[in-house]
Amino acid sequence: MLVGLGRLWAAPPPRGVCRLLRARLRQQQQHYSGSREPSLGGRGGEATGRGESRWREKDAYDLSKFPVEYIRNFSIIAHVDHGKSTLADRLLEITGAIVKTDRNRQVLDKLQVERERGITVKAQTVSLFYHHDGKTYLLNLIDTPGHVDFSYEVSRSLSACQGVLLIVDANEGIQAQTVANFFLAFESQLMIIPVINKIDLKHAEPDRVAKQIEKVFDIPKDECIQISAKLGTNVDQVLEKVVEKIPPPRAKLSDPLRALVFDSTYDHYRGVIASIALFDGCVQKGDKIMSSYTKKVYEVNEVGILRPDQYPVEKLRAGQVGYLIAGMKEVKEAQIGDTFHLQKQPVEPLAGFKPAKPMVFAGMYPIDQSEYTNLRKAVEKLTLNDSSVTVHRDSSPALGAGWRLGFLGLLHMEVFNQRLEQEYNASVILTAPTVPYKAVLSSSKLIKEYGEEEITILNPCHFPDRLHVKEYLEPIVTGTILTPDDYIGKIISLCQSRRAIQKNMVYIDDHRLMMQYLFPLNEIVVDFYDSLKSLSSGYAREKAYSTGKAIAERLKDTIPQQLFEIAIQAAIGSKVIARETIKAVRKNVLAKCYGGDITRKMKLLKRQAEGKRRMRKIGNVEIPKDAFINVLKRQKDK
Amino acid sequence: MHPLRLARNCTVSLPLARSSGQFSGWGLTGGQVPAYLDEATLHQAALYVHWPFCERRCTYCNFNKYISPSIDHDAMRDGLLRETETLLSVSQVKEITSIFFGGGTPSLARPSTIARVLETVARVTHVPHDMEISMEANPTSAAASRLAEFKEAGITRLSLGVQALCDRDLRILGRDHTAREALQSLEEARKLFPGNTSVDIIFGHPGQNVEPWEEELEELVALCDHHVSLYQLTLERGTGLYKQVQEQALSIPEQEELAEMYQAARRILGRAGFLQYEVSNFAKSGAVCEHNLGYWRGRQYLGVGPGAHGRFIPWGEGKSLREARIQTLEPDDWLREVRQFGHGTRKRVQQTELDILEELLVLGLRMNDGITHQLWLQCSPSLSLQEAVGDSPEVKQYLEKQLLVLDNRGLRCSWEGLALLDMLLPALLLQLQLSYQKSVTHSLPSTGSVPQALGSTTTAHT
């Protein structure tokens, strides 16, 4: 059983993206070593295929040769682990995306710097040159930004496309994120090409999956391309269909510039690098452009395409996709969804832009307060690259100084935490997440005080008294649940207990059911997924006991033995449900302490004495900070 | 003026730490005398001499030692002599109270080297005729055959590294002798140093448990002389044994079992007439090691040889604050420095009065007798033991639970408390720091600046 939250879990998590990126890095390095002949596309009229034909570099990047009719912009969407990154790898290989040129050294250097500096290169857009029926096409594979796995951002990325490859695992079938992604693409009126992947697996049932697709998405089952991205089976067909079925972008070169920002990254040397899709007009170095949202004006320093490394070109034209550098200092200046136009020729901005709004808040604290400064720096650096995270200083009596961070969703929060740990080697305590509330005030005095009638509350301490409030509002999300029908009763009662409202329920095949609910975000933000999983594995009844036991055990592992025995009990009200005992220490004394041992021993003891100064005591029991942390922090989903 | 009285006046109004800056550069013994030593001990020191070489590496040992196929004995002798002379001069010590040759394996040194060091000490300072001169020795047959020569050279007390009485255990520990050799050496040593032979034994090694340990110790007690040093195996990072345990090739006994072994050993030795006078040391008929007692009583000591540690006032350099000193670790570097500067002192840290009191607290409580009021007041005329640690609620709890005893004799551990000393010390140290800070603030004139409770560090040769 899987749950997908329409708003929150719309696209695959970043793991796959990282894999994709690593694969690209490997490829580039391999290539630089000179083991392969340069290969890129072919002159018009030559045969297609894997690097069979050669282009001169000059021709390759002369984008004026690609009028709108020869451009296809598309994206790959899939549920986790259904093979998105593997397919992307194959597409890069088939089209020979990496060329050996003089510039490769720079590419490599740049990447090294990036790695040294700990910047994650986010999943990027790749321009592919593909030859089909005697013509060369410019295919732009637009990846959704690595961490922003949320419907708004994905829909912005999709709005730069005219079609998507919807990948479904031939074994697992349609999953929650498949559905969420489908509807995003559907709502954007994109051409959807269903691809059933992993047909090489032993238990693959491509026909069953094709039927599901027909039933749920109303796409004829014979339109599904059955492939194995791993082995490369039928991958050629995928590119053929992209060219045949996806319409070229509706763009006018003659109109003034209108460019959609669908991603942005931050480079320490070059500032903000915005990924843009040109709807109309063209842009080149020296142009004065303006952001529709901020009204700020910039001079364009560089434009180029992504192969997937940056490759400067003279000019980007309507229908094309590439990057733009224009001296922007903060990612906030290149908000996803914003429209750029020429300063002198304002245009109607592309519809649907709204700044990212955090919906999940959690406290973040350094494990050791001495790490505060380092952690602050890490958070600052990371938010440079991710403007959607909001940061407020906060402090907790148990955990000391920290921050209250706002995220777009749970996955976003976890990714942020993971990046802190992996890229900045920072270990942090993340508290259980909460959601923002709104209150519509009735007291005119308070309205005056706040300056508005409707206020947003992030911290429970700031809740206004209900006497002065007309109504409280909370965020609501759509959740999609796919499950075998055995659990239908239990799931319905679980959802009802979470104040959810059912929107619909359909059988996608003989035994599998898709249900959609409107959930108050607060009801599902912490443990809904666990509860849902536990329904099928049957440990829900034992939950209180096992949680109590787990916390008691965690405490037992973190509280060091002391001079006397310590009993740890978990209780509900007055009923003790779990108990652990920490035995008293019986011996702890340094064996050898002579002239040469004293300095070292003193150092250790002084540190312990200093630790004692800061140690918290409950009764007679000394509780090290880790113990608080272990109880307070969210446990990873098992 | 009586130096002690002067010292007291000085400390009450002007605590030592505060004056540290002003003292540097003053002339010799210009009437400024530190408060923490009485007249008798002021110009006394023990001497530790480090012989850094071993024949092989024991798997548990992380001491400063080197396995060298060829030792330049002449160079080492000259180096040790030269540094001994220098440090005696720097410290202006008038009387050496005990000497200890440790290592490494000092029984690998030539007896003549030992003799020459002793001659040098006797030439420069006063040496009591019955002074304790200890040496560590490995119980190999080679060493045993030379024990008489060492006695001839002046050694009066032998500390024999028997460690275990079972060959399997000796192999795990990486020792260079068998149990049989050890017992023969012990017999030989007892003949030469009757009443002054000590035996080292280790418990808690891999695969050991309580019963065989008790039998092993009973066997040893029957054979040994008047002194036993009993060490729980400490796994030190970087040793072969540590690695093997990390890799789970070997496993050492559980904490509970180790505690049981320790208590069993204390009972067995007690029944056999041995008095435990320190955490790991037991003696009968008063055959304690005076040299080691000096460390625990906070006395001065000079450290000669590669990596040796010292604690003394370098009067000869015009200083009157005690310093913690460490000599250069590596024998070749050390030798070069001794040739060039007369000594291989690599690190010197000035100790404040608080530093010294902290060390006394930590070390003094290791002794059965603990810290007597008299001993404490020698170092701390202004702050009594009761004032120093008595205010802490935790210390009160320790006293209540009878882990600690504070009475008219002084402060000491109970029988149970001694085994738990390292758990008591952090709270005691913290309280000492707080009480000391308070007393210093009180005794200062209101306009005075608050003293820095930190010593200064000097590196290399100044």
Side-chain angles (χ1 to χ4, degrees):
Chain A
M1 183 187 327
L2 272 146
V3 61
L5 302 178
R7 183 180 188 284
L8 296 176
W9 296 348
R15 199 160 55 87
V17 172
C18 292
R19 262 190 290 143
L20 174 61
L21 182 74
R22 274 200 299 277
R24 287 173 186 168
L25 289 178
R26 273 201 306 275
Q27 244 182 0
Q28 286 170 15
Q29 280 164 337
Q30 235 177 33
H31 205 86
Y32 178 58
S33 69
S35 61
R36 271 167 54 183
E37 281 293 294
S39 61
L40 172 78
R43 251 167 275 126
E46 278 195 12
T48 63
R50 296 174 191 230
E52 283 166 16
S53 47
R54 314 249 184 284
W55 267 25
R56 267 165 290 133
E57 185 197 327
K58 206 177 148 208
D59 296 338
Y61 296 106
D62 184 0
L63 294 183
S64 64
K65 288 195 172 172
F66 295 96
V68 170
E69 309 87 86
Y70 291 97
I71 299 175
R72 300 290 182 272
N73 295 331
F74 71 104
S75 190
I76 308 177
I77 52 181
H79 188 78
V80 195
D81 279 342
H82 281 197
K84 173 175 158 164
S85 50
T86 318
L87 178 59
D89 286 351
R90 284 302 95 74
L91 298 184
L92 293 188
E93 281 172 21
I94 288 180
T95 56
I98 315 294
V99 213
K100 186 176 181 183
T101 71
D102 297 340
R103 291 186 172 269
N104 262 353
R105 177 180 288 277
Q106 277 177 10
V107 169
L108 209 65
D109 283 349
K110 189 192 115 221
L111 291 171
Q112 271 169 2
V113 166
E114 283 178 335
R115 266 172 285 155
E116 278 163 18
R117 296 221 146 202
I119 308 163
T120 291
V121 190
K122 298 201 284 188
Q124 290 171 348
T125 298
V126 196
S127 296
L128 309 170
F129 296 96
Y130 176 65
H131 322 290
H132 180 59
D133 265 354
K135 299 185 189 77
T136 303
Y137 291 86
L138 173 60
L139 307 184
N140 294 306
L141 166 53
I142 297 167
D143 221 334
T144 52
H147 61 280
V148 191
D149 291 69
F150 312 106
S151 59
Y152 168 66
E153 285 70 22
V154 175
S155 71
R156 287 298 88 191
S157 287
L158 292 184
S159 65
C161 302
Q162 285 72 46
V164 295
L165 300 174
L166 178 70
I167 303 183
V168 186
D169 185 306
N171 187 14
E172 290 189 357
I174 291 179
Q175 297 292 337
Q177 286 184 42
T178 321
V179 178
N181 283 321
F182 169 82
F183 282 109
L184 278 175
F186 186 74
E187 282 160 17
S188 308
Q189 297 180 313
L190 302 186
M191 169 52 70
I192 295 161
I193 301 175
V195 176
I196 298 174
N197 189 20
K198 307 197 190 181
I199 56 167
D200 57 306
L201 287 184
K202 205 173 163 190
H203 299 291
E205 291 180 87
D207 296 334
R208 183 178 64 88
V209 174
K211 271 185 206 157
Q212 284 183 356
I213 289 173
E214 190 172 78
K215 169 114 195 190
V216 179
F217 302 139
D218 203 17
I219 300 173
K221 59 186 178 207
D222 50 5
E223 284 186 21
C224 296
I225 313 171
Q226 300 193 2
I227 67 160
S228 163
K230 191 174 147 198
L231 305 178
T233 319
N234 295 342
V235 175
D236 289 356
Q237 285 182 30
V238 173
L239 285 175
E240 283 167 25
K241 292 280 186 212
V242 165
V243 170
E244 285 167 14
K245 295 180 79 174
I246 296 178
R250 287 181 298 274
K252 281 204 200 98
L253 186 60
S254 53
D255 282 3
L257 171 70
R258 183 151 66 154
L260 170 75
V261 179
F262 62 88
D263 189 16
S264 61
T265 54
Y266 181 80
D267 181 300
H268 278 264
Y269 298 113
R270 318 183 72 192
V272 174
I273 300 167
S275 297
I276 54 168
L278 275 73
F279 279 66
D280 295 307
C282 57
V283 65
Q284 61 187 331
K285 188 178 172 178
D287 284 350
K288 289 267 184 3
I289 56 163
M290 188 191 244
S291 148
S292 291
Y293 175 59
T294 64
K295 300 293 174 206
K296 283 192 183 168
V297 176
Y298 306 92
E299 186 179 322
V300 176
N301 298 333
E302 185 178 312
V303 293
I305 56 169
L306 297 152
R307 301 256 322 122
D309 45 307
Q310 290 157 20
Y311 200 99
V313 296
E314 196 190 323
K315 205 175 210 179
L316 285 175
R317 291 173 172 79
Q320 295 172 354
V321 169
Y323 70 93
L324 173 146
I325 300 174
M328 287 172 272
K329 300 277 184 297
E330 285 183 60
V331 236
K332 288 191 178 73
E333 296 175 74
Q335 290 259 20
I336 293 171
D338 196 1
T339 304
F340 284 146
H341 58 80
L342 293 174
Q343 188 190 3
K344 288 180 182 160
Q345 289 172 291
V347 297
E348 188 67 18
L350 293 153
F353 173 73
K354 50 186 181 189
K357 211 181 235 173
M359 289 311 268
V360 171
F361 291 81
M364 180 177 273
Y365 300 87
I367 286 196
D368 187 329
Q369 278 295 315
S370 63
E371 288 289 307
Y372 181 84
T373 315
N374 288 339
L375 184 58
R376 196 190 64 212
K377 284 182 190 153
V379 169
E380 277 170 7
K381 275 190 193 162
L382 210 47
T383 47
L384 260 185
N385 220 337
D386 187 351
S387 58
S388 52
V389 179
T390 61
V391 182
H392 297 281
R393 289 241 296 262
D394 200 357
S395 76
S396 142
L399 302 171
W403 303 269
R404 191 149 195 88
L405 302 182
F407 303 97
L408 296 171
L410 276 182
L411 185 57
H412 186 203
M413 177 177 95
E414 273 164 24
V415 169
F416 188 86
N417 188 26
Q418 200 180 333
R419 286 183 66 185
L420 268 182
E421 283 177 9
Q422 287 174 353
E423 295 168 32
Y424 297 93
N425 198 20
S427 30
V428 299
I429 313 152
L430 207 56
T431 63
T434 58
V435 303
Y437 285 87
K438 284 185 174 179
V440 182
L441 301 172
S442 59
S443 140
S444 53
K445 191 178 156 232
L446 276 182
I447 294 175
K448 210 170 164 189
E449 200 179 305
Y450 284 104
E452 53 193 345
E453 198 185 338
E454 190 182 288
I455 58 165
T456 304
I457 308 137
L458 303 183
N459 192 324
C461 314
H462 303 146
F463 242 83
D465 194 296
R466 61 190 300 176
L467 284 175
H468 308 302
V469 175
K470 240 185 263 168
E471 60 176 332
Y472 294 108
L473 303 171
E474 64 179 333
I476 303 283
V477 296
T478 305
T480 305
I481 300 169
L482 280 104
T483 170
D485 55 7
D486 310 355
Y487 304 109
I488 174 166
K490 286 179 185 172
I491 289 175
I492 288 175
S493 54
L494 172 70
C495 291
Q496 278 169 352
S497 74
R498 302 296 180 117
R499 300 188 283 131
I501 300 163
Q502 197 179 77
K503 274 173 68 186
N504 65 52
M505 179 160 85
V506 288
Y507 273 91
I508 62 167
D509 58 24
D510 294 350
H511 292 295
R512 291 178 65 81
L513 200 61
M514 181 172 83
M515 295 186 271
Q516 282 185 316
Y517 277 89
L518 286 178
F519 284 98
L521 182 55
N522 187 45
E523 292 287 341
I524 55 171
V525 82
V526 180
D527 62 347
F528 181 76
Y529 191 57
D530 281 347
S531 314
L532 195 57
K533 278 195 300 183
S534 67
L535 283 183
S536 49
S537 48
Y539 63 71
R541 283 180 305 274
E542 300 294 318
K543 182 121 193 195
Y545 173 79
S546 64
T547 306
K549 180 93 182 154
I551 291 179
E553 278 172 3
R554 247 182 276 151
L555 278 172
K556 186 185 177 182
D557 292 341
T558 37
I559 298 178
Q561 285 186 298
Q562 301 186 16
L563 286 166
F564 41 85
E565 189 177 284
I566 302 166
I568 301 169
Q569 295 180 333
I572 299 172
S574 59
K575 188 184 169 217
V576 174
I577 56 164
R579 183 195 157 109
E580 293 287 333
T581 307
I582 300 174
K583 284 189 178 167
V585 183
R586 289 189 53 209
K587 177 174 190 288
N588 183 356
V589 61
L590 180 67
K592 278 191 173 185
C593 195
Y594 302 110
D597 309 307
I598 297 169
T599 304
R600 181 174 155 192
K601 184 64 182 170
M602 287 308 298
K603 209 168 164 180
L604 180 68
L605 284 169
K606 281 185 178 180
R607 209 161 52 223
Q608 288 171 346
E610 188 54 38
K612 210 149 187 107
R613 211 187 271 264
R614 290 177 302 180
M615 186 87 74
R616 270 153 234 277
K617 272 190 121 179
I618 294 178
N620 280 328
V621 183
E622 286 180 345
I623 317 275
K625 200 149 217 174
D626 315 13
F628 285 100
I629 290 160
N630 269 309
V631 174
L632 282 173
K633 83 171 171 196
R634 286 181 77 251
Q635 292 299 298
K636 290 241 165 67
D637 292 345
K638 302 248 160 56
Chain B
M1 190 187 278
H2 194 278
L4 183 58
R5 191 173 305 145
L6 187 107
R8 288 195 171 210
N9 289 341
C10 162
T11 312
V12 170
S13 58
L14 277 177
L16 211 73
R18 190 179 157 220
S19 324
S20 62
Q22 299 166 14
F23 278 153
S24 57
W26 280 30
L28 267 181
T29 59
Q32 296 289 340
V33 176
Y36 51 82
L37 289 173
D38 63 24
E39 199 181 5
T41 50
L42 194 57
H43 291 290
Q44 288 179 345
L47 173 65
Y48 175 81
V49 182
H50 192 77
W51 183 264
F53 302 107
C54 285
E55 266 177 345
R56 63 194 269 189
R57 205 176 297 276
C58 297
T59 55
Y60 57 92
C61 175
N62 72 336
F63 272 44
N64 183 39
K65 60 180 186 285
Y66 301 85
I67 317 298
S68 177
S70 62
I71 303 165
D72 187 342
H73 281 270
D74 291 341
M76 275 306 293
R77 177 198 62 211
D78 294 347
L80 291 174
L81 292 179
R82 177 93 191 274
E83 192 170 54
T84 304
E85 278 172 358
T86 308
L87 294 187
L88 284 171
S89 155
V90 166
S91 64
Q92 299 276 300
V93 164
K94 299 209 171 61
E95 182 182 331
I96 287 292
T97 48
S98 65
I99 301 177
F100 195 103
F101 290 92
T105 311
S107 54
L108 294 178
R110 287 184 190 145
S112 60
T113 301
I114 306 289
R116 291 288 301 279
V117 171
L118 297 178
E119 280 162 26
T120 303
V121 174
R123 199 174 65 240
V124 181
T125 65
H126 172 70
V127 172
H129 75 278
D130 58 349
M131 179 172 62
E132 175 189 292
I133 304 171
S134 300
M135 186 177 83
E136 291 175 342
N138 272 6
T140 57
S141 40
S145 65
R146 299 204 297 171
L147 289 181
E149 290 177 68
F150 285 116
K151 185 182 180 182
E152 193 61 31
I155 297 294
T156 66
R157 184 177 176 277
L158 202 74
S159 172
L160 209 57
V162 172
Q163 316 306 14
L165 291 181
C166 156
D167 285 342
R168 192 192 78 96
D169 294 338
L170 289 169
R171 270 197 303 277
I172 289 175
L173 297 173
R175 300 290 298 174
D176 56 359
H177 56 85
T178 61
R180 201 182 134 87
E181 270 184 283
L183 293 179
Q184 281 168 351
S185 303
L186 176 56
E187 207 182 319
E188 176 71 15
R190 288 191 65 178
K191 271 187 218 151
L192 289 163
F193 306 98
N196 283 311
T197 298
S198 174
V199 167
D200 282 2
I201 185 126
I202 293 179
F203 71 94
H205 36 79
Q208 195 176 35
N209 41 42
V210 179
E211 266 179 42
W213 160 239
E214 286 177 337
E215 285 163 22
E216 187 178 17
L217 189 61
E218 296 275 11
E219 186 187 345
L220 187 76
V221 163
L223 298 168
C224 71
D225 196 47
H226 292 176
H227 193 281
V228 174
S229 297
L230 172 86
Y231 302 118
Q232 180 180 319
L233 179 68
T234 312
L235 274 184
E236 300 283 0
R237 216 170 262 280
T239 60
L241 201 62
Y242 180 86
K243 202 173 154 207
Q244 283 177 293
V245 172
Q246 285 298 98
E247 290 167 356
Q248 299 182 336
L250 289 172
S251 69
I252 55 169
E254 296 289 324
Q255 288 302 316
E256 280 288 299
E257 190 148 35
L258 290 170
E260 190 50 48
M261 287 184 193
Y262 182 61
Q263 307 298 34
R266 293 172 84 183
R267 283 192 298 270
I268 290 168
L269 286 162
R271 274 201 304 271
F274 284 87
L275 173 75
Q276 179 173 23
Y277 68 100
E278 192 256 359
V279 171
S280 302
N281 285 283
F282 302 77
K284 73 180 169 192
S285 317
V288 293
C289 177
E290 289 293 342
H291 183 87
N292 288 339
L293 276 170
Y295 295 134
W296 304 319
R297 286 174 176 155
R299 303 294 192 218
Q300 294 200 101
Y301 55 97
L302 313 180
V304 167
H309 287 237
R311 295 277 187 283
F312 61 90
I313 308 167
W315 292 112
E317 292 173 352
K319 308 271 173 62
S320 51
L321 280 185
R322 199 173 92 168
E323 290 183 359
R325 291 181 165 223
I326 306 174
Q327 310 307 105
T328 295
L329 282 172
E330 213 276 321
D332 290 340
D333 296 342
W334 170 82
L335 255 179
R336 196 164 49 246
E337 286 164 22
V338 170
R339 285 187 188 125
Q340 200 173 346
F341 308 103
H343 64 86
T345 304
R346 181 52 72 94
K347 191 176 179 196
R348 310 163 44 176
V349 181
Q350 285 196 348
Q351 293 191 297
T352 62
E353 191 176 53
L354 179 60
D355 289 334
I356 290 164
L357 291 178
E358 285 174 342
E359 285 193 1
L360 180 63
L361 186 68
V362 166
L363 299 167
L365 287 176
R366 294 181 65 84
M367 295 181 289
N368 193 36
D369 290 342
I371 304 162
T372 61
H373 291 296
Q374 188 198 1
L375 183 61
W376 182 260
L377 288 172
Q378 279 173 16
C379 299
S380 169
S382 55
L383 199 64
S384 73
L385 259 178
Q386 172 67 46
E387 288 165 333
V389 298
D391 276 348
S392 151
E394 283 188 287
V395 174
K396 280 178 186 151
Q397 193 196 350
Y398 300 159
L399 292 167
E400 238 166 64
K401 294 204 176 264
Q402 300 189 337
L403 297 168
L404 278 180
V405 182
L406 179 57
D407 60 12
N408 55 12
R409 273 164 59 199
L411 179 70
R412 63 189 173 278
C413 291
S414 68
W415 200 83
E416 291 84 12
L418 197 62
L420 293 166
L421 176 60
D422 287 5
M423 303 210 60
L424 312 180
L425 285 172
L428 285 161
L429 269 181
L430 180 61
Q431 187 54 44
L432 170 61
Q433 290 165 358
L434 295 174
S435 307
Y436 186 82
Q437 217 63 46
K438 215 165 99 188
S439 80
V440 167
T441 320
H442 273 282
S443 64
L444 272 181
S446 55
T447 51
S449 59
V450 179
Q452 296 287 308
L454 287 168
S456 60
T457 306
T458 334
T459 311
H461 310 276
T462 46

